[in-house]
Amino acid sequence: MTDETGDNPREAPPRKPRTRGPSPEKTAQTRSCLLHAALDEFVENGFAGAQMSRITERAGIAKGTAYRYFPTKSALFEGVVAEFMAPLISGIGPPEPRADESVGDFLRRSLIPVMTTIETSRRADVARLVLAEGRNFPFIVQAYRREAYDRTIDFVRAAARIAMERGELTDDRLLRHPQLIFAPLWLAMIETGILVPDAPVSGAELLAEQIDLIFPPRR
């Protein structure tokens, strides 16, 4: 029904102007602050003892804001692993040694800088947290394996296969047990973080020695 002017007497109220949401840069910054704060909280208090309220306080954001990014503490931990471990591990890429480069030299070139970064950037703390609480929280282990551990194992196994094809390995032990390359790293993390923290051991140096044992440098 219309009035004499032809207009509808029951006009809808004027629409409120749309408000602009946070910029992508602001969103990324908030997420990064949250993940860094979560890493600090997890390392300091463990997964069980970590509290979302303390994490958001560290990050300087509202608790409700944090839950928009990560609905649970478990999801937040997985975010920490994906943020701090996955990009670093994926950065080593597939094993593609140069034609004039031995597989041993390739492993030295590609792995030692990555492991040095892990040691000096608190990423090793994530691995120690997995060791400390993985039995009680299996999803922690699953997240770490998915984002970091399984990728490195696959990388070494593929490199070992190339070495065997080239005749640089005389048996298949490294192919069957690629963990041999990284065993010194876990030993270093346990010694430095648990057994003898007052006398830290360099995992990168142990890794270099292990590679030398398996692939003696060319003279």
Side-chain angles (χ1 to χ4, degrees):
M1 181 177 180
T2 60
D3 61 9
E4 295 177 349
T5 63
D7 295 326
N8 191 335
R10 297 181 179 180
E11 293 181 353
R15 294 181 179 179
K16 295 182 179 180
R18 293 182 178 180
T19 58
R20 178 181 294 179
S23 67
E25 293 79 9
K26 179 65 175 178
T27 298
Q29 182 181 9
T30 300
R31 186 178 185 276
S32 178
C33 289
L34 180 58
L35 289 171
H36 278 83
L39 175 61
D40 291 339
E41 176 71 10
F42 287 136
V43 169
E44 184 175 324
N45 298 294
F47 179 80
Q51 295 183 7
M52 289 295 286
S53 59
R54 286 200 299 262
I55 293 172
T56 54
E57 183 178 354
R58 288 174 185 263
I61 62 176
K63 192 173 182 180
T65 301
Y67 283 114
R68 289 204 296 268
Y69 289 86
F70 300 98
T72 65
K73 188 168 69 170
S74 300
L76 181 54
F77 180 84
E78 292 186 8
V80 166
V81 176
E83 177 77 8
F84 294 104
M85 296 302 301
L88 190 64
I89 299 303
S90 62
I92 62 179
E96 296 177 347
R98 298 187 297 262
D100 61 343
E101 179 182 44
S102 69
V103 172
D105 286 342
F106 166 73
L107 292 177
R108 294 179 188 92
R109 174 172 61 85
S110 58
L111 292 182
I112 293 174
V114 171
M115 299 313 157
T116 299
T117 300
I118 288 176
E119 286 191 297
T120 58
S121 63
R122 301 194 66 199
R123 288 174 171 88
D125 290 332
V126 178
R128 280 190 281 266
L129 183 60
V130 172
L131 289 175
E133 301 206 41
R135 183 178 295 274
N136 294 326
F137 301 99
F139 88 92
I140 289 179
V141 178
Q142 294 168 5
Y144 191 84
R145 284 195 58 180
R146 182 177 64 251
E147 300 292 350
Y149 182 80
D150 287 348
R151 296 185 185 188
T152 56
I153 293 299
D154 291 343
F155 175 86
V156 173
R157 181 175 283 116
R161 187 173 292 110
I162 294 173
M164 291 191 64
E165 293 171 353
R166 289 182 170 189
E168 296 176 23
L169 286 177
T170 58
D171 58 57
D172 66 348
R173 282 179 291 181
L174 186 61
L175 184 63
R176 290 184 289 110
H177 303 295
Q179 299 89 345
L180 288 169
I181 287 286
F182 296 109
L185 291 172
W186 289 95
L187 174 61
M189 285 188 289
I190 293 172
E191 285 206 13
T192 300
I194 301 173
L195 296 177
V196 284
D198 55 331
V201 177
S202 170
E205 290 182 10
L206 291 183
L207 172 64
E209 297 288 354
Q210 185 79 332
I211 294 174
D212 287 351
L213 288 174
I214 299 173
F215 297 96
R218 294 175 179 175
R219 300 299 181 184

